Amino acid sequence: MDIRQLNYFVTVADKKNYSLAAKELYVTQPTLSLAIQKLEKEFETVLFKQSNRQLILTESGRVLYESGKELLKNYNKVVEKMNDFHNSNQTVLKVGLTVLFAIQYMDEISNFIATQPKVELRLIQHGSKKLQHMVANDELDIGLLSFPQYENSIIMEKIEKKKGSYKAAVVLPKNHHLSDRSSLSIADFKNEKLSSLSKSYVLGNEIYIKCREYGFDPNIVFTDDNWTVLVKSVLTFNSMVLLPAEFEEIGKFSDVKWIPLEEDIEYFIGVAHRKDKEISEMAELFIESILK
């Protein structure tokens, strides 16, 4: 007899029905029936009898049930204690990053996870502006975020490497009246329908700032935090959306066109942490793995 068989037996006894026990255990009825038969053969006894469409424990079945239930309880306690012991030896590192950075730095992140088995890395994805706020509120240990900096209580250190920045591009339907242009200016957004990331994202915030620099408010007809949804929205609304140009290579959409901005807007990436909080050793190791 093993723990799995004992658990099957106790569950059947509790449910008084093979069908209900099978649903509880996510196994088939024949699997349960075979497990009970093996127990009966091993102990040379009958464990259940049928009564009014229910399974009733025999005298020997009652003995196994009462002792077995206590054994399962103690077994589960041991498993729980061992899991707690394992978790207590792990350092939790909470890192905030955007979808783009999660994709761009996946190799570095994977290498960190592989080489640091005692670290439980929790990745929280959101927009850079929102994540800056979370770092400032001590909800994150560090953030892999884009400039500009909005929070005064954090420090953002620029990443000096190939993937240390991204540029914004305009995405619009191929049949849009501006789709034949080789480049577009923010000034071209005037009187056009626009889709946009929310203000939790840098680009979702910057589109208002940039448009107002040209003397108008953007006509936002759709907002979402999922960039693939936003790309699809331009087809629905015949709108335009400002997104990182790097997404063009990640997602292939045949009915849209990606056009560079004449303003050549570039946003640099940095690692953020609170000014008044010392960076942990594991956070330092994570930053080193990103900067390699």
Side-chain angles (χ1 to χ4, degrees):
M1 178 180 71
D2 58 30
I3 287 294
R4 178 181 55 82
Q5 288 175 305
L6 184 58
N7 186 43
Y8 285 178
F9 165 74
V10 169
T11 305
V12 171
D14 285 337
K15 297 298 181 181
K16 298 180 173 61
N17 182 285
Y18 278 117
S19 178
L20 294 177
K23 290 180 181 179
E24 176 81 12
L25 295 164
Y26 298 100
V27 297
T28 64
Q29 290 186 49
T31 298
L32 283 183
S33 179
L34 181 60
I36 300 303
Q37 288 174 24
K38 287 183 177 180
L39 285 176
E40 290 179 329
K41 184 177 180 179
E42 181 179 347
F43 295 118
E44 297 181 349
T45 187
V46 176
L47 299 173
F48 293 103
K49 61 181 179 181
Q50 191 80 31
S51 177
N52 296 326
R53 296 185 179 180
Q54 284 190 335
L55 293 172
I56 306 298
L57 287 167
T58 62
E59 185 176 350
S60 60
R62 175 62 60 183
V63 171
L64 180 59
Y65 175 78
E66 291 175 355
S67 299
K69 197 158 190 175
E70 188 66 24
L71 181 59
L72 282 174
K73 183 179 178 182
N74 291 331
Y75 172 80
N76 290 331
K77 283 182 179 179
V78 171
V79 172
E80 185 177 342
K81 285 182 179 179
M82 293 306 295
N83 286 335
D84 289 342
F85 177 77
H86 171 71
N87 292 334
S88 68
N89 287 324
Q90 280 196 316
T91 299
V92 176
L93 182 62
K94 294 178 287 186
V95 178
L97 73 174
T98 67
V99 173
L100 174 61
F101 302 158
I103 295 170
Q104 287 183 317
Y105 290 93
M106 187 51 62
D107 288 343
E108 290 87 343
I109 293 170
S110 298
N111 182 64
F112 176 81
I113 294 171
T115 56
Q116 302 297 331
K118 291 187 177 181
V119 179
E120 181 187 341
L121 184 62
R122 297 180 184 174
L123 299 176
I124 295 89
Q125 292 186 10
H126 219 296
S128 285
K129 187 181 180 185
K130 171 69 174 178
L131 290 172
Q132 286 188 36
H133 183 69
M134 293 177 73
V135 172
N137 286 346
D138 208 20
E139 298 173 52
L140 298 171
D141 296 307
I142 53 176
L144 188 58
L145 317 170
S146 66
F147 287 84
Q149 181 173 334
Y150 299 99
E151 299 287 339
N152 293 326
S153 62
I154 68 174
I155 294 173
M156 290 184 66
E157 302 175 28
K158 188 185 294 185
I159 295 177
E160 302 288 351
K161 61 183 297 186
K162 184 178 180 180
K163 295 179 287 187
S165 66
Y166 67 90
K167 292 187 176 182
V170 184
V171 187
L172 71 174
K174 284 186 175 178
N175 60 0
H176 194 279
H177 72 95
L178 295 175
S179 64
D180 60 344
R181 300 272 293 273
S182 59
S183 64
L184 287 169
S185 168
I186 295 292
D188 294 317
F189 289 6
K190 189 175 183 179
N191 300 322
E192 296 294 336
K193 291 185 290 186
L194 301 173
S195 297
S196 175
L197 289 160
S198 75
K199 289 187 177 182
S200 294
Y201 287 76
V202 167
L203 287 181
N205 196 67
E206 288 288 290
I207 191 170
Y208 287 89
I209 296 172
K210 298 300 182 184
C211 287
R212 286 165 185 165
E213 288 176 358
Y214 281 90
F216 66 94
D217 286 323
N219 177 26
I220 307 295
V221 297
F222 182 79
T223 302
D224 201 273
D225 287 344
N226 186 315
W227 72 273
T228 58
V229 171
L230 286 168
V231 171
K232 292 177 182 178
S233 79
V234 304
L235 299 172
T236 302
F237 298 101
N238 193 34
S239 58
M240 305 189 296
V241 63
L242 199 62
L243 290 174
E246 286 72 9
F247 278 142
E248 181 178 7
E249 295 301 316
I250 298 170
K252 302 294 185 180
F253 293 89
S254 58
D255 297 327
V256 300
K257 187 174 180 181
W258 297 69
I259 301 178
L261 274 176
E262 291 175 4
E263 287 81 0
D264 195 29
I265 300 174
E266 183 174 15
Y267 294 99
F268 291 96
I269 302 168
V271 178
H273 60 88
R274 279 177 62 96
K275 288 180 180 179
D276 60 355
K277 186 177 180 181
E278 186 176 348
I279 301 178
S280 68
E281 181 182 351
M282 285 304 169
E284 290 279 13
L285 287 173
F286 180 82
I287 293 171
E288 287 178 15
S289 69
I290 291 297
L291 296 179
K292 283 182 181 178

